[in-house]
Amino acid sequence: MTYKASRIARVHARQILDSRGRPTVEAEVELVDGSFGRSCVPSGASTGRHEAIELRDHNTSQYDGLGVGQAVNNVRSEIADRLLGEDALDQRQIDRLLISLDGSANLSRLGANAVLATSMAVCRAAAVHSHNPLYRYINSLCRGRPMSLPLPMVNILSGGAHAGRGMDLQDFLAIPVGASSYSEALEMISRVRVSATRLLADRGYSVLLADEGGLSPGFKHAHEALDLMVQSFEAAGLVPGQDMAIAIDVAASELFVNGRYELVRHGFQFSGEEMASFITECVRRYPIISVEDALEQDDWLNWQTFTASVPGVQVIGDDLFVTNQKRITMGIECSAANGVLIKVNQNGTLSGTLDAMETAWRAGYTTVVSARSGETEDTFIADLAVGTGAGQIKIGSVRSSERLAKYNQLLRIEEDQSLEFIGAAGLGRNTRQNVACN
Ligand code: PGA
Ligand code: ZN
């Protein structure tokens, strides 16, 4: 083997804990010239059936069976053996090697957590080697795609699996559509988060934090949560629909039991058609400009109907697409949605994630780079959103360091004067008109 400074000289991993105190994988990669990269993988709670598989030990005497010792060992042994001497600057080749070494269709043998941690750590080490900030290095992997600072969609109220199922719908989020810079967007969001806390505290609701740092008042009906969103915007001195709009993540796969949508808190049991029209009605009444997972992950037909019934609204597939190029292509062919949530650990490699994004863009679909409900201090996705010019980012609320680490990384990146804040243009052609409440 010829000497090359960008070749991989060391691969290491360890078990660390995520924001829910659950074990996760942290990997480290060092190159011949000493360039170093470290990365940690996140983990979901409302996990899609078609996601790449994270490997857990299932040894109930440790961490409730959630240990990742086997995944860590896989990085230290098989993965390290395979990658030593490979060129970190060839991310595609690294990811191909990881996928073929795993050999399964969903990375279940080595674990998507083992594979992704390595894939991202290689990318970081390569960025260091090439003397580039991570977002610029990621951009060099994106075939001419322009970089931009993303429009954030930010969790204010939480339900579902992130908040003890206190509300049926999982996330009520705010999108600062009127912001003209990223830092202004963050300040506007912060104001809304403070107003929401005050309004709830004044009415005697708990203001304790849910898994993503959102508030969880446990409202029975979605309209109560949506009313509170609008009131929080107004109390923050913002015009609903103009300065600040609403996004919801229904996480409907979590509600789907024996072929019906069970909205326990509402007391509803819906068919797919009824579920679609319930959400459509919410969109009509409130300044909602983005809806994620309104329907279950394999309910393609009702996805199509729903998307057609809310023109101009961003319809995002999370569990539906699982950042998987094949499923995104299926969705594009049947017009199931018009946006894709991008979660690196649903896919399992960086290159696979970039391919998924490119497939979405080619069809005019928007992309929202997203954190998971179980996060770490790793800020990789902030750089990913900028480097890919994804358009939007979803990190959770503006509380808790695992979220703020990423919001703060975007503040650092914002100092690069050559970058534009994409603002509402990040919503692509999903520009809902006339979003005032009625
Ligand atoms: P998860 O939730 O990380 O628990 O899957 C995030 C989401 O549904 O968008
Ligand atoms: Zn989701």
Side-chain angles (χ1 to χ4, degrees):
M1 195 188 312
T2 56
Y3 173 86
K4 196 171 175 212
S6 58
R7 289 195 192 283
I8 295 173
R10 187 177 74 93
V11 178
H12 185 61
R14 65 178 63 84
Q15 174 171 291
I16 60 162
L17 301 185
D18 71 13
S19 55
R20 277 190 281 249
R22 295 179 185 165
T24 189
V25 181
E26 173 172 277
E28 293 177 353
V29 167
E30 199 176 318
L31 309 188
V32 166
D33 69 350
S35 299
F36 175 81
R38 174 186 289 147
S39 201
C40 328
V41 292
S43 178
S46 60
T47 309
R49 189 185 305 136
H50 305 285
E51 295 191 18
I53 304 290
E54 51 182 33
L55 192 62
R56 299 277 181 190
D57 295 340
H58 302 292
N59 169 6
T60 47
S61 66
Q62 283 184 349
Y63 289 110
D64 211 18
L66 295 172
V68 292
Q70 189 52 51
V72 165
N73 284 340
N74 291 343
V75 178
R76 290 181 181 182
S77 54
E78 271 194 70
I79 290 179
D81 288 350
R82 188 66 195 84
L83 293 192
L84 286 183
E86 293 297 329
D87 188 351
L89 291 174
D90 193 347
Q91 185 74 39
R92 288 210 163 258
Q93 170 67 357
I94 297 289
D95 290 337
R96 262 195 301 270
L97 290 174
L98 287 167
I99 290 167
S100 72
L101 181 65
D102 173 84
S104 73
N106 51 11
L107 301 179
S108 56
R109 194 180 75 77
L110 295 169
N113 39 2
V115 170
L116 178 68
T118 311
S119 177
M120 293 193 298
V122 167
C123 176
R124 268 227 169 84
V128 171
H129 170 83
S130 59
H131 303 288
N132 267 309
L134 183 58
Y135 61 93
R136 282 200 179 275
Y137 179 71
I138 290 174
N139 187 250
S140 74
L141 307 174
C142 292
R143 302 183 246 253
R145 173 96 181 162
M147 293 189 283
S148 58
L149 283 153
L151 177 69
M153 62 163 76
V154 182
N155 178 298
I156 304 295
L157 303 178
S158 285
H162 303 159
R165 307 204 182 267
M167 297 195 287
D168 291 326
L169 275 55
Q170 182 180 275
D171 292 339
F172 296 86
L173 310 102
I175 306 187
V177 283
S180 53
S181 69
Y182 168 72
S183 41
E184 190 192 356
L186 196 59
E187 194 280 329
M188 286 163 71
I189 287 290
S190 191
R191 251 191 288 160
V192 169
R193 182 63 173 70
V194 168
S195 332
T197 310
R198 286 202 185 120
L199 289 172
L200 288 175
D202 288 351
R203 295 171 197 178
Y205 287 96
S206 160
V207 291
L208 297 178
L209 306 189
D211 281 5
E212 295 194 353
L215 295 154
S216 184
F219 291 133
K220 276 204 169 72
H221 202 290
H223 290 177
E224 293 174 80
L226 292 163
D227 283 336
L228 190 103
M229 292 293 289
V230 170
Q231 290 157 8
S232 305
F233 298 173
E234 286 167 347
L238 300 166
V239 180
Q242 206 172 299
D243 300 323
M244 192 69 76
I246 300 176
I248 56 174
D249 179 4
V250 181
S253 302
E254 294 284 306
L255 305 171
F256 199 64
V257 184
N258 298 327
R260 306 280 289 177
Y261 292 86
E262 285 193 2
L263 282 71
V264 175
R265 295 284 290 153
H266 288 80
F268 297 152
Q269 265 225 351
F270 284 150
S271 66
E273 293 79 10
E274 289 165 337
M275 186 68 196
S277 51
F278 173 68
I279 301 297
T280 304
E281 182 54 28
C282 290
V283 170
R284 288 216 181 96
R285 290 170 73 121
Y286 294 92
I288 296 173
I289 59 164
S290 177
V291 179
E292 180 179 331
D293 282 3
L295 294 143
E296 195 262 348
Q297 55 209 327
D298 291 308
D299 195 354
W300 293 97
L301 216 57
N302 284 309
W303 269 92
Q304 281 174 276
T305 316
F306 174 71
T307 300
S309 74
V310 289
V313 172
Q314 176 171 257
V315 179
I316 306 174
D318 171 9
D319 291 353
L320 180 75
F321 292 139
V322 291
T323 318
N324 176 308
Q325 201 178 13
K326 279 200 196 115
R327 288 187 67 89
I328 296 168
T329 305
M330 277 164 72
I332 290 165
E333 279 166 6
C334 68
S335 304
N338 55 40
V340 184
L341 205 74
I342 300 295
K343 291 169 165 169
V344 277
N345 79 321
Q346 285 180 330
N347 184 286
T349 68
L350 175 60
S351 305
T353 303
L354 297 179
D355 289 343
M357 295 178 86
E358 205 177 312
T359 304
W361 299 327
R362 262 193 264 118
Y365 276 38
T366 50
T367 49
V368 184
V369 167
S370 173
R372 300 305 303 246
S373 51
E375 268 296 335
T376 70
E377 61 271 37
D378 195 324
T379 57
F380 192 94
I381 60 163
D383 287 75
L384 180 67
V386 174
T388 57
Q392 295 169 74
I393 193 163
K394 180 187 177 203
I395 303 174
S397 210
V398 280
R399 289 292 186 282
S400 304
S401 291
E402 79 281 4
R403 317 278 150 200
L404 271 317
K406 295 152 183 76
Y407 287 116
N408 292 343
Q409 174 68 359
L410 289 169
L411 286 173
R412 290 178 204 111
I413 297 175
E414 189 183 31
E415 290 175 10
D416 180 339
Q417 307 261 312
S418 71
L419 294 172
E420 239 185 287
F421 172 60
I422 196 159
L427 293 155
R429 57 191 179 204
N430 307 311
T431 47
R432 185 179 177 203
Q433 303 292 306
N434 186 24
V435 289
C437 300
N438 57 45

